[in-house]
Amino acid sequence: MVIREAKTSDKLHILHFCQNTFSWGDYIKDVWDNWLKEGNLLVIEKNIPIGVCHGVFSQNQLWIEGIRINPDFRRQDLASNLIKHLESLAIQKKIQTSLMLIDTENSPSLLMAQNLNYKLYQTWNFYSLLPQKNNSHDISFGNVIQDSRFSHFVKSWRWLPLNEDSLHSLDSKNHIIYSRKNQNPSIAILEDSEHFEKTLIVTLFSGSKINTMNIISFLQNFGFEKKYTRIQILTKEILPEFKNLEHKISFHLMQKLLS
Ligand SMILES: CC(C)(COP(=O)(O)OP(=O)(O)OC[C@H]1O[C@@H](n2cnc3c(N)ncnc32)[C@H](O)[C@@H]1OP(=O)(O)O)[C@@H](O)C(=O)NCCC(=O)NCCS
């Protein structure tokens, strides 16, 4: 078995077994070209590629995504070896944390993560919201995040650290909004998907129901005006009932401290 950087010609082999990975299909076909360009897209091969996994290194964090093993070659430690390979690259870069996102119902993957000493760090809920015209605009722009509870924000389905640098950059691009109708503001971070057209990805920190409803209403109208086709909301909280807001799936963020 060889682990190596992916190349263009691997795509067909990988997509061959990444079509019906989940009940809804798979997204590897949509991100392959981008991930190949980004680098650290690894394949494991036995004559032909039979497994894949992508690593994203940011300041002090390894993000692992897109782990797929050909069904004919599972339970042979292939996924574990791909992950360990990325971890060893992270350790060389003196990165101390590794993170991955796993559907709360994906037992094989959760067991694999536990087997590799990943611990449950946080649980997040994914909601979809349909853009729709309305008259609610009562929100403010600016950074009101001071709390260490807000550890990460989501950019293209990657949970990236919220620190002074990222907050400053998000704030300067007007990507942070909040609603403060009482002393418990709700805050949202808005990002365009880098991999999917016209998709708005929102990290939502809910302080109180009234503020969260206000933000959702704003997002719905914002989505309509900016011609987004879909709005994806990631939040640690359970959101209130709202027209055209649908809970899709929940994820565990699994974390490992590398040494
Ligand atoms: C999840 C997945 C990547 C695991 O790949 P794999 O190469 O079979 O995993 P490994 O052989 O490295 O498994 C290591 C350990 O994880 C656990 N594990 C993995 N698959 C398991 C399963 N189906 N049932 C129970 N435990 C499982 C076991 O503890 C296993 O060790 P063991 O075989 O000695 O008991 C693979 O099943 C897959 O591609 N699934 C579809 C895509 C997916 O869910 N990706 C992850 C998204 S986060």
Side-chain angles (χ1 to χ4, degrees), residues 21 67 69 74-77 79-80 106 108-109 111-112 115:
T21 312
I67 313 160
I69 301 297
R74 290 186 184 165
R75 302 300 288 270
Q76 297 178 34
D77 275 342
S80 301
N106 188 343
S109 193
L111 286 164
M112 177 194 64
N115 208 37

Side-chain angles (χ1 to χ4, degrees), residues 17-29:
F17 64 86
C18 289
Q19 291 173 36
N20 301 308
T21 312
F22 305 108
S23 56
W24 46 267
D26 203 337
Y27 62 81
I28 299 295
K29 63 180 184 316

Side-chain angles (χ1 to χ4, degrees), residues 143 165-176:
N143 176 24
D165 288 348
S166 52
L167 277 172
H168 180 75
S169 159
L170 289 163
D171 193 19
S172 66
K173 289 183 278 180
N174 265 343
H175 284 197
I176 310 177

Side-chain angles (χ1 to χ4, degrees), residues 36-52:
L36 192 66
K37 263 189 237 145
E38 287 177 8
N40 298 303
L41 180 61
L42 300 183
V43 295
I44 189 161
E45 70 177 350
K46 190 180 181 183
N47 303 321
I48 58 166
I50 49 176
V52 65

